[in-house]
Amino acid sequence: MSPSDSHRDDPVGVAANAPAICSIRGLGRYLPERQLTNVDLEKVVDTSDEWIFQRTGIRSRRVMPEDWITSDLAVAAAQRALADADLPLTAIDQMILATVTPDHLCPSTACVVHHKLGMKNVPAFDISVACSGFGYALSIAAAGIVAGMHHNVLVIGAEAMTRFMNYEDRTSCILFGDGAGAAVVSKEGRFDLLYTDNGADGSMADMIEIPGGGSREPASEGTLQERRHFVVLRGREVFKSAVRQMSQSTRDAAEALGIQVSDIDWMVPHQANARIIEAVGEQLGLPAERVVVDLEDKGNTTAASIPIAFTGLYEQGRFEPGQLIALVGFGAGAAWSCQILRVRG
Ligand code: UT7
């Protein structure tokens, strides 16, 4: 049964007629095959499969091959999105890569991907918005298309999170995994973008960080010894803020579109923790089968998590014409994102 059969008497009021800002024409994702299981982690830090699964919903996370770097993940996902969009590479006139685990600080990883894909001359750049990066990148793509500056924008979320884990810190190293997701954004496509809104609150900037390696704490023997080049987080604070903000972003979106939250057929939230996602679903009164949890064998892939979960459903043929999809992100910054899409008929 499709979720829409159970909750909707009429086709979605205002959103049924809402004009499309632009559209997603193709989707792709790439997940490395190798899995680092909770049982593997039990041998490395003081933790247990039971604790990790109960507190997060994660059983394993993906780890890319040792000779791969973030740009390789991005290229693999991008090639699949391009094939799905049925567009030649030459049709792409902008590329935006969301990542917090770039190949290096300079130049952008987008430029490396550009070269690996064989692109010529078109603009390419990284954005650093952590778990909300894909939503922000969709917004930038949409703005360029609406302004008439671009026709087809390649948007990628790619993360090599396992390269930035401190495997002596059980509060963080159990959470994250590697992966990439990509979308081709065009004027016409399969998923019409009806709404996009993003936000940030820099007062929470120290809630999740990679403290070393930037201008504040340049790399030194001290930063290496103190393991300052890895992710650190205050998990409980992130948890509460994520539930509050993701619920609020979704309510704001529904209000702006003149619909009820219950009109949303699929909520595809950032995949940080199954308990965060379930709490958001409960706060919004959405049935569990409409709130996507896709992290048991992937962990948290930061900017890649939303396009990975979204593409997974798409590849399984789960979407039906007219359905509304909410992509909702929250993470380091703090930064958040919310996009509402409608499946084309
Ligand atoms: O995408 C945005 C980034 N994502 C995040 O930042 C994650 C958001 N937060 C979370 O997912 C959860 O807060 C965690 C999974 C990180 C932690 O779950 P929690 O239910 O909030 O646990 P807690 O931090 O309150 O810790 C409870 C206990 C502590 O022990 P005491 O102080 O009660 O004795 C921790 O030391 O669990 C202990 N603990 C662990 N035990 C076994 C923390 N990590 C582990 C572990 N294994 N890996």
Side-chain angles (χ1 to χ4, degrees):
M1 185 178 75
S2 95
S4 63
D5 296 338
S6 60
H7 73 280
R8 191 184 292 158
D9 296 330
D10 335 311
V12 199
V14 175
N17 306 314
I21 301 166
C22 61
S23 197
I24 291 180
R25 183 181 165 121
L27 284 170
R29 68 177 190 169
Y30 180 81
L31 287 156
E33 271 174 36
R34 189 182 145 211
Q35 309 244 358
L36 178 67
T37 66
N38 294 350
V39 175
D40 296 332
L41 284 172
E42 284 177 358
K43 294 170 196 141
V44 180
V45 280
D46 178 16
T47 192
S48 66
D49 174 40
E50 191 191 1
W51 190 96
I52 301 172
F53 186 68
Q54 276 182 2
R55 299 282 180 136
T56 69
I58 300 166
R59 286 262 188 226
S60 67
R61 63 288 297 139
R62 307 302 176 103
V63 182
M64 68 182 181
E66 268 172 32
D67 58 348
W68 274 47
I69 53 178
T70 303
S71 52
D72 296 316
L73 295 170
V75 165
Q79 282 170 335
R80 292 173 185 193
L82 284 163
D84 185 53
D86 197 20
L87 277 179
L89 189 63
T90 49
I92 301 296
D93 51 15
Q94 186 182 47
M95 188 228 296
I96 310 166
L97 173 63
T99 187
V100 288
T101 53
D103 287 359
H104 26 57
L105 280 180
C106 180
S108 73
T109 303
C111 282
V112 181
V113 174
H114 194 274
H115 181 62
K116 286 181 176 174
L117 282 173
M119 295 173 93
K120 299 274 177 253
N121 297 327
V122 305
F125 56 95
D126 289 0
I127 62 165
S128 172
V129 202
C131 309
S132 303
F134 186 75
Y136 269 65
L138 278 182
S139 285
I140 300 167
I145 290 169
V146 169
M149 289 169 64
H150 300 289
H151 295 99
N152 301 296
V153 182
L154 179 57
V155 168
I156 310 169
E159 302 284 11
M161 295 304 296
T162 62
R163 297 275 161 94
F164 295 83
M165 289 299 110
N166 176 359
Y167 286 100
E168 292 178 3
D169 175 9
R170 68 178 184 173
T171 66
S172 56
C173 73
I174 57 147
L175 297 171
F176 295 94
D178 302 338
V184 175
V185 185
S186 304
K187 211 162 186 168
E188 304 287 332
R190 305 178 198 279
F191 301 97
D192 287 338
L193 180 70
L194 304 184
Y195 170 92
T196 178
D197 191 43
N198 306 308
D201 179 353
S203 70
M204 290 190 258
D206 61 354
M207 208 167 53
I208 314 173
E209 17 170 34
I210 300 176
S215 62
R216 192 183 71 185
E217 293 186 37
S220 67
E221 277 181 33
T223 61
L224 277 179
Q225 268 162 18
E226 286 166 36
R227 307 181 79 82
R228 303 288 284 169
H229 299 274
F230 298 116
V231 172
V232 284
L233 55 93
R234 295 201 298 275
R236 209 181 289 192
E237 251 173 79
V238 182
F239 192 111
K240 286 186 197 155
S241 307
V243 173
R244 192 175 49 243
Q245 185 56 53
M246 289 165 92
S247 305
Q248 191 56 45
S249 297
T250 312
R251 282 192 212 101
D252 291 347
E255 192 182 331
L257 282 171
I259 60 170
Q260 303 298 314
V261 168
S262 58
D263 289 324
I264 293 169
D265 296 279
W266 296 98
M267 181 171 190
V268 185
H270 168 54
Q271 303 288 314
N273 182 318
R275 284 163 53 226
I276 294 178
I277 297 171
E278 282 154 18
V280 172
E282 272 168 33
Q283 286 212 357
L284 294 172
L286 284 171
E289 66 270 19
R290 285 198 258 148
V291 182
V292 178
V293 180
D294 182 33
L295 45 62
E296 187 172 336
D297 63 343
K298 301 175 187 71
N300 179 348
T301 56
T302 309
S305 99
I306 289 176
I308 285 174
F310 183 24
T311 304
L313 290 172
Y314 169 60
E315 287 176 351
Q316 291 160 25
R318 303 287 291 280
F319 299 126
E320 290 177 15
Q323 287 188 330
L324 293 181
I325 305 163
L327 310 181
V328 190
F330 180 87
W336 54 88
S337 62
C338 182
Q339 282 70 39
I340 306 285
L341 302 159
R342 182 180 52 214
V343 185
R344 271 276 176 100

